[in-house]
Amino acid sequence: MKKSTIYSWTVLLVMAVFISCKSNDSVQNSEKNTVIVQLHDSDAVGSLEEQHETYNLKKEKVLSRPMQIFLFTFDSEKIKNTELVELLKQSDLVKEAQLNRNVTLRN
């Protein structure tokens, strides 16, 4: 009886460690595929998406309505994130563009 109990607890512990150490790649990929863009005019979102349709540029959400700052997603297989930022900065519709950096707070 003791061996089976110890075995059960060992298997449970190994499973818990395995599950907690497993990384979630889909979440990490989606975080890397976003850029923050400040536009001159909030009506220019559609035009910007049309101009960069080949990279699947899509508005994800509004970050600041008064400052016209938006979060966009794109297909990182078609263009590198740094190249897209440089391309967006060249657009007449864009005031500023930058990568979406996810910061983790330390204790």
Side-chain angles (χ1 to χ4, degrees):
M1 186 74 172
K2 265 188 167 179
K3 280 187 174 183
S4 65
T5 305
I6 292 174
Y7 178 75
S8 298
W9 281 107
T10 305
V11 169
L12 184 63
L13 179 65
V14 168
M15 287 177 54
V17 168
F18 179 73
I19 290 170
S20 66
C21 292
K22 185 177 177 185
S23 69
N24 193 350
D25 291 336
S26 62
V27 172
Q28 292 174 354
N29 286 339
S30 67
E31 291 173 351
K32 292 179 183 176
N33 298 337
T34 55
V35 290
I36 299 172
V37 180
Q38 183 177 14
L39 300 174
H40 290 287
D41 184 18
S42 61
D43 298 331
V45 171
S47 301
L48 190 67
E49 289 177 341
E50 287 176 12
Q51 285 180 359
H52 300 89
E53 187 177 8
T54 55
Y55 310 119
N56 296 334
L57 188 71
K58 300 285 181 202
K59 180 183 85 167
E60 184 72 21
K61 64 181 177 179
V62 178
L63 299 180
S64 173
R65 191 169 305 284
M67 294 183 67
Q68 294 140 4
I69 300 175
F70 301 91
L71 181 69
F72 285 88
T73 59
F74 66 97
D75 187 358
S76 64
E77 293 179 1
K78 295 184 178 184
I79 189 170
K80 292 181 182 178
N81 54 7
T82 53
E83 291 175 3
L84 179 65
V85 168
E86 290 302 317
L87 191 63
L88 288 170
K89 285 182 177 184
Q90 294 172 2
S91 174
D92 294 334
L93 304 171
V94 176
K95 190 182 258 186
E96 182 60 43
Q98 68 179 32
L99 296 174
N100 184 21
R101 306 222 185 262
N102 295 300
V103 178
T104 338
L105 298 175
R106 293 188 287 176
N107 291 335

